[in-house]
């Protein structure tokens, strides 16, 4: 069974540009989570989508946005890129089967570098 | 605000030494607790989890963790570490309610010296 897949693996942008990161959850999982892992800062919660709806949002500015598609895949958009947006962006999925647990399955991540 | 803290940023141990990584959380209500591990070059994976019941839970590769509700703690332990345990370890917490976010601690980097 395929795990969570993310693309691209690496992305290099310049300040002010936009970045789009994509995530495909494990088959059967309906929830997708996005985290930012910046050097020395651990995992910071960004966004959570379930059944196409945004369920929760972390303490990030509005230029971080995303969506979830009918097939449960998701994309994260970062507009007006700033140098401090350079980080590893992790996607995770979960399938709570009607009972929320919070157990997450992570992808390899997309490394965004802003120059 | 909800938060998770981990006691050590970087731990260095010799093989066969015992390990204990501290984790404390500040959350109201009942919680689900997790430890995740990130081996070099690999993705984050679940090490163990606590939902309810016996507060001492066992995970993969000989790891265990104890939930002490009165101390808001969920410390990770292993009696004898191996070089292959070198990794980054993250404690994570979420409340037992629907659609609550999972909060991660800052991580502890473990280096095991052969």
């Amino acid at each position: 069974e395929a795990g969570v897949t993310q693309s691209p693996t690496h992305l290099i942008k310049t300040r002010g540009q936009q970045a789009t990161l994509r995530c495909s959850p494990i088959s059967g999982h309906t929830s997708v989570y996005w985290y930012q892992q910046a050097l020395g800062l651990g995992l910071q919660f960004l966004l959570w989508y379930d059944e196409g709806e945004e369920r929760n949002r972390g303490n990030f500015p509005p230029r971080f946005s995303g969506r979830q598609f009918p097939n449960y895949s998701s994309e994260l958009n970062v507009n007006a890129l700033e140098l401090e947006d350079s980080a590893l962006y992790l996607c995770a999925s979960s399938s709570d089967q009607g009972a929320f647990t919070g157990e997450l399955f992570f992808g390899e991540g997309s490394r965004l570098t802003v120059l | 605000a909800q938060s998770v803290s981990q006691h050590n940023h970087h731990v260095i141990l010799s093989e066969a030494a015992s390990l204990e990584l501290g984790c404390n959380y500040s959350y109201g209500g009942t919680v689900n607790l997790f430890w995740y591990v990130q081996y070099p070059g690999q993705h984050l994976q679940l090490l163990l989890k606590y939902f309810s019941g016996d507060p001492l839970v066992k995970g993969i590769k000989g790891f265990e963790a104890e939930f002490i509700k009165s101390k808001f703690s969920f410390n990770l332990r292993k009696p004898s570490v191996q070089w292959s345990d070198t990794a980054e370890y993250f404690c994570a917490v979420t409340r037992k309610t629907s659609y609550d976010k999972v909060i991660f601690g800052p991580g502890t980097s473990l280096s095991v010296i052969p």
Side-chain angles (χ1 to χ4, degrees), chain A residues 11-37:
Chain A
L11 187 61
I12 300 175
K13 294 284 188 177
T14 57
R15 275 188 304 175
Q17 286 189 311
Q18 179 198 36
T20 297
L21 309 177
R22 296 178 178 83
C23 172
S24 292
I26 292 171
S27 178
H29 288 192
T30 60
S31 286
V32 170
Y33 304 73
W34 288 96
Y35 286 85
Q36 181 194 67
Q37 188 178 18

Side-chain angles (χ1 to χ4, degrees), chain A residues 8-95:
Chain A
T9 306
H10 294 90
L11 187 61
I12 300 175
K13 294 284 188 177
T14 57
R15 275 188 304 175
Q17 286 189 311
Q18 179 198 36
T20 297
L21 309 177
R22 296 178 178 83
C23 172
S24 292
I26 292 171
S27 178
H29 288 192
T30 60
S31 286
V32 170
Y33 304 73
W34 288 96
Y35 286 85
Q36 181 194 67
Q37 188 178 18
L39 197 62
L41 295 179
L43 277 77
Q44 305 296 315
F45 171 75
L46 267 166
L47 289 160
W48 174 9
Y49 294 95
D50 180 67
E51 298 281 359
E53 301 284 332
E54 183 181 299
R55 297 299 186 186
N56 212 322
R57 183 182 177 86
N59 189 26
F60 280 82
R63 58 191 186 81
F64 286 84
S65 65
R67 54 179 171 167
Q68 187 178 33
F69 300 99
N71 66 352
Y72 304 115
S73 67
S74 175
E75 67 179 28
L76 174 69
N77 295 294
V78 188
N79 294 318
L81 284 166
E82 299 178 4
L83 296 178
E84 53 264 35
D85 296 334
S86 295
L88 182 67
Y89 289 84
L90 294 171
C91 174
S93 71
S94 72
S95 174

